Amino acid sequence: MSDCLFCKIAAGQIPSNKLYEDEQLLAFYDIDPQAPLHFLVIPKQHITSAAALTEENAALLGHVFAVIAALCRELGVAESGYRVVTNVGQDGGQSVPHLHFHVLAKRSLAWPPG
Ligand code: 5GP
Ligand code: ZN
């Protein structure tokens, strides 16, 4: 999608602080971190939000969560724990309409979220 911020980041047209990249996805640090460790994982394919996912995206989603687990092991937070969040739409607090998973760690996270 030509006018999408995260499509531009995925294409390298807008710089990001990358953690991991492969053919299907990109992980990069959030520009406005909400925890001492806060990164985003996005599919390179434009998907507007989790509300647009179908059974056809099953392999992609499995890959997203496998990469998150591997990155969290490498970053040393697998034992202490972390939170994976995807916001959907206005009430969900989504500000960028391209599917992304927040990974937050290195502090105790409150529940329920605000
Ligand atoms: P949402 O509010 O849609 O769930 O999450 C969007 C996230 O993208 C926010 O946490 C915001 O800080 C982050 N973000 C917005 N613009 C940029 C950017 O240009 N670069 C990076 N690295 N993060 C961004
Ligand atoms: Zn996009």
Side-chain angles (χ1 to χ4, degrees), residues 42-108:
I42 64 170
K44 289 189 171 177
Q45 171 192 356
H46 182 85
I47 298 171
T48 304
S49 78
L53 289 168
T54 70
E55 297 288 346
E56 291 183 3
N57 302 122
L60 173 66
L61 285 177
H63 185 52
V64 164
F65 277 88
V67 165
I68 288 171
L71 287 173
C72 286
R73 281 193 295 272
E74 282 172 27
L75 292 164
V77 296
E79 295 293 318
S80 52
Y82 52 90
R83 184 171 293 167
V84 183
V85 179
T86 189
N87 297 324
V88 179
Q90 193 175 329
D91 280 358
Q94 184 179 11
S95 60
V96 179
H98 178 127
L99 178 65
H100 51 282
F101 296 87
H102 296 260
V103 182
L104 301 134
K106 295 196 175 178
R107 72 171 169 85
S108 183

Side-chain angles (χ1 to χ4, degrees), residues 1 4 6-7 46-47 97-98:
M1 229 193 171
C4 169
F6 284 178
C7 281
H46 182 85
I47 298 171
H98 178 127

